[in-house]
Amino acid sequence: MSLPATPHSTARVEVDPRDILQIDSLLSDEERLIRNSVRDFVRGRVMPGIEEWFERGVFPVEMAREIGDLGLLGMHLEGYGCAGASAVSYGLACLELEAGDSGFRSFVSVQGSLSMFPIWAYGTEEQKREWLPRMARGEVIGCFGLTEPDFGSDPGGMRTTARRDGDDWILNGSKLWITNGGIAGVAIVWARAEEGVLGFIVPRGTRGFTTRDIHRKLSLRASVTSELILEDCRLPKDAVLPGVRGLKGPLSCLTEARYGIVWGVMGAARSCWETAVDYARTRIQFGRPIGQFQLTQRKLVDMMLELQKGTLLALHIGRLKDEGRCAPELVSFGKLNNCREALAVAREARGILGANGITLEYPVIRHMNNLESVYTYEGTNEIHTLVLGELITGLSAYR
Ligand SMILES: Cc1cc2nc3c(=O)[nH]c(=O)nc-3n(C[C@H](O)[C@H](O)[C@H](O)COP(=O)(O)OP(=O)(O)OC[C@H]3O[C@@H](n4cnc5c(N)ncnc54)[C@H](O)[C@@H]3O)c2cc1C
C-alpha cells in the first residue's frame, strides 16, 4: 500500500528529471492547455520545416494566419480580437515557440508586443479598430522600427525626424535590424519631432517608405530582418500614436517583448539540453556511453540547474506581472539572466554533441546561433547589467 506523502512521510516521491522542481504543478489547467496546444503546433507544424527554412534563410510567412488562428498574436491584450490571456500563458507560449526556433518566437513577440501593443496602449479608438483585429488574425504583419544604423543601445540619439507640413507629417531617416520589416503590412516607426519622440503607424505602400532585407545572417535565419527607409514619407495627421511622447513609448513596448524573451530562451535551452541528454545516453566512446563519464554528467547537471532555475524565474516574474507588480528592472533581471544562461546551455550542448553539434541535423547549433541575436536585441547583456547596476547604486553608468 502506498501512503500519501506528508511532510514527514518516508514514501518515495517520483522525480521527473525534466521537471525536477515540479514547475508543471504550479500551472493552472488553462495554462497547461495553452502550453500543450502551442507545443503540439510546434511539433506538428514548425519542426518538420524549420531546418529547411533556417538553411534557406526564410520565414514561412504563409503560417502567420495559422499562428493567428491559435490566438497567439497579441494574445496578452484585451479586446479587438485579442485573446486576453494572462502573462504566464503568453510566456508559456513563447517558451514552446522558441523550443522550436527563436524565429517563430520573435515573429510572435514583434507582432504582439512591439507592433500591436503600442497601438493598443497609445492609439486612438479608430487606430485600434482599424489595425488590431486584422493583426490578431495574422492578416496584417507588423514591425517595430526603433534601432538606427548609428543608434542601437542608445536610441535616444535617433536621427529619424518627423516634421509637420500643414496637417500632415513628413518622416525622414532609416531604421536598421528590423524584424519582420520586409514582410510587414504596417510599421510602427519612432521618430524625433519638435515635441519629443513620437510613434507613427506607417502602412506599407505609403509613398517614401521602402524596406530592404538584410541577408547573410548566421543567426535568426528563419526570421526576416530588414532596413526601413523613410524619404520624405508623408503621413496624415492621424498616423501618430497620440497616447505617448518621449522614449518611454518604445521602451514600454520593449519591456513587454523582453518579458516574452525571459520565457522564450528557456525553450531554446530546453531543446538543447534534451538533445544533449539523449545524445550522451547513446553515443559510445571508449566502450561506454559518453553520459557515463563524470565530466559529461557534470555538464548535463549544470545545464539542468540553469534551465530549471531560469524557468522558475520566468514563472515568478510572470505571476508578478499578472498581479501588476512587475517593474521593468525585474524584466531586465530575467532577460539578463535567462539569455546568458540559455546561451551557455546551448554552447555546452554543442560541445557534448561533438562534430554532430555543428550540423543542422540536430537543433543545437541553430538554437545557439539564434541565441546570439536574442542576447543582443531588446537591450544587450551589458545594458541590462547597467540597468540593474543603477538600481543597486543609484548611479547611472550610461547617462
Ligand atoms: C536579429 C535582430 C533583430 C532585431 N530586431 C529589431 C527590431 O525589430 N526593432 C528594432 O528597433 N531593433 C531590432 N534589433 C536591433 C537591436 O535591438 C540592437 O542590435 C541592439 O539594441 C544593440 O544595438 P547595436 O547592435 O547597435 O549595438 P551597440 O549599441 O553598438 O553595442 C555594441 C556593444 O557595445 C555595448 N555597449 C553599448 N553601450 C554600452 C555601455 N554604455 N556600456 C557598456 N557596453 C555598452 C553593447 O552591449 C554591445 O556589446 C534587432 C537586432 C538583431 C540582431
Side-chain angles (χ1 to χ4, degrees), residues 286-349:
F286 301 98
R288 290 195 255 167
I290 58 169
Q292 205 172 338
F293 299 123
Q294 292 176 8
L295 286 174
T296 310
Q297 291 195 358
R298 181 179 185 165
K299 290 175 193 167
L300 295 173
V301 170
D302 284 347
M303 291 156 81
M304 177 178 76
L305 295 182
E306 296 310 327
L307 175 56
Q308 290 281 309
K309 287 190 287 183
T311 309
L312 195 58
L313 172 63
L315 178 60
H316 178 63
I317 293 176
R319 292 276 182 246
L320 290 176
K321 189 163 163 56
D322 277 327
E323 290 168 18
R325 295 199 290 143
C326 178
E329 289 85 350
L330 187 55
V331 178
S332 286
F333 184 115
K335 206 266 178 185
L336 170 64
N337 182 78
N338 285 9
C339 286
R340 186 166 70 188
E341 298 309 332
L343 191 50
V345 166
R347 286 175 179 157
E348 197 73 286

Side-chain angles (χ1 to χ4, degrees), residues 137-171:
R137 291 194 296 269
E139 287 169 19
V140 175
I141 294 171
C143 70
F144 173 90
L146 178 64
T147 305
E148 298 187 355
D150 293 332
F151 296 93
S153 299
D154 180 19
M158 72 172 67
R159 293 209 185 100
T160 299
T161 56
R163 71 175 163 81
R164 285 183 198 273
D165 184 34
D167 267 357
D168 294 345
W169 288 95
I170 311 285
L171 266 58

